[in-house]
Amino acid sequence: MTQILGIDFFQGTPEEAVQKLHSGGLVVAPSGPNLAEMDKMPAYLRAVTSAELAVLDSGALVLFWHKLTGTHLTRLSGLALLQSLVTSPEFVEHQNDQFWVMPTEEAKVRNVEYLKTLGIHIQEDQCYVAPYYERGDIHDADLLERINEKQPKYVVINLAGGKQEVLGAWLRSHCQGQPAFICTGAAIGFMTGEQANIPGWADRYYLGWLMRILRNPSGYLSRYWEARRLWPLVRKYRESTPQLAAG
C-alpha cells in the first residue's frame, strides 16, 4: 500500500487486487479529475479515504508522485481491474451472486449482452437502472432494499465517478452482509464500445484520457484540463487527507 491524499492505494497486479476484493467492502478507482476536486466534495473525500481497496487509476497522480518523491508507483486502472474481475473463474462461477447497477436502460441491455460473451448470464432481477443522482450525499433506499433482498457477493456500480463512490460507501454502511461494492464506472463502456476504445498500450502508457478526448472533445477536454489542480493538491498534502476548501 502507498498512502497519497489520505487514500491507501493498492500496489500489485490486477489478479492480486481481484483476490483482495473477494473479501468485500468498498472498491474504488479514483480518477484524476475527481481527485483534483476531492477537497470540494466532502462525501466523496470520506468515501475514497475509507475504501477497503483503492486502485491507482490516475496516471497523472503516478507522474506527480514520482516528480515529488522520486518513487515509482504501479498504476492499476479501473479498466484493467474490471477486465481481470470479469474473466476470473471465481467471479464467473458466482454469477448468480452478482448485482449490477447501470446508468441507463440502454447501457443495461448493452452490458448484459456483452457479459454473455464472457459466459456471465445476468438476469433481469440482478440489474438496477439508477436514477440521476446529484453530487453530494447520495442515498437510494430502493437500491438498498434490492441488494438486501438479493444478498449478492458482488455489486458492480457502473456510474459516474464522484457519485458511485459515495453511493457505494452509503450502501456498504447500511446493507446486510458484506458484499464487494465495485466502483469501476465507465470501464465496462470501454469494453463494450460505448466509450472510446482504449488499446492495452494506451492504458499502460497513461493515455486513456487522450483516447476519451479524441472520441468526445467537448465532453472531456475541459474535464481533464481541470485535473491540473491535482498537482498543487498533492504537493501540499502528500500522504495526508486534504482539508475541505472553504465555501
Side-chain angles (χ1 to χ4, degrees), residues 14-15 17-19 21-22 78-95 98-100 102 111-112 114-122 154-158 182 184 187-189 191-192:
E15 295 76 19
V18 167
Q19 286 303 309
L21 71 76
H22 290 317
L79 174 58
L81 177 65
L82 186 62
Q83 287 172 330
S84 183
L85 176 65
V86 297
T87 56
S88 66
E90 184 170 351
F91 189 74
V92 175
E93 289 168 8
H94 286 83
Q95 56 191 267
Q98 299 174 22
F99 192 88
W100 291 73
M102 310 293 192
N111 295 344
V112 167
Y114 174 76
L115 291 168
K116 285 181 182 177
T117 69
L118 304 178
I120 300 173
H121 298 271
I122 300 301
Y154 308 98
V155 179
V156 186
I157 306 178
N158 306 284
I182 305 158
T184 48
I188 194 168
M191 297 160 69
T192 63

Side-chain angles (χ1 to χ4, degrees), residues 98-113:
Q98 299 174 22
F99 192 88
W100 291 73
V101 180
M102 310 293 192
T104 65
E105 185 67 32
E106 294 78 8
K108 182 189 82 170
V109 172
R110 182 167 40 268
N111 295 344
V112 167
E113 287 302 311

Side-chain angles (χ1 to χ4, degrees), residues 118-137:
L118 304 178
I120 300 173
H121 298 271
I122 300 301
Q123 305 303 313
E124 183 69 26
D125 64 353
Q126 293 177 262
C127 294
Y128 179 83
V129 177
Y132 178 80
Y133 302 117
E134 297 288 349
R135 284 188 181 270
D137 287 311

Side-chain angles (χ1 to χ4, degrees), residues 144 147-148 151 155 170-179 181:
L144 178 62
I147 291 172
N148 283 337
Q151 292 286 296
V155 179
W170 181 80
L171 291 169
R172 176 195 57 186
S173 298
H174 292 81
C175 78
Q176 300 166 7
Q178 192 180 11
F181 293 96

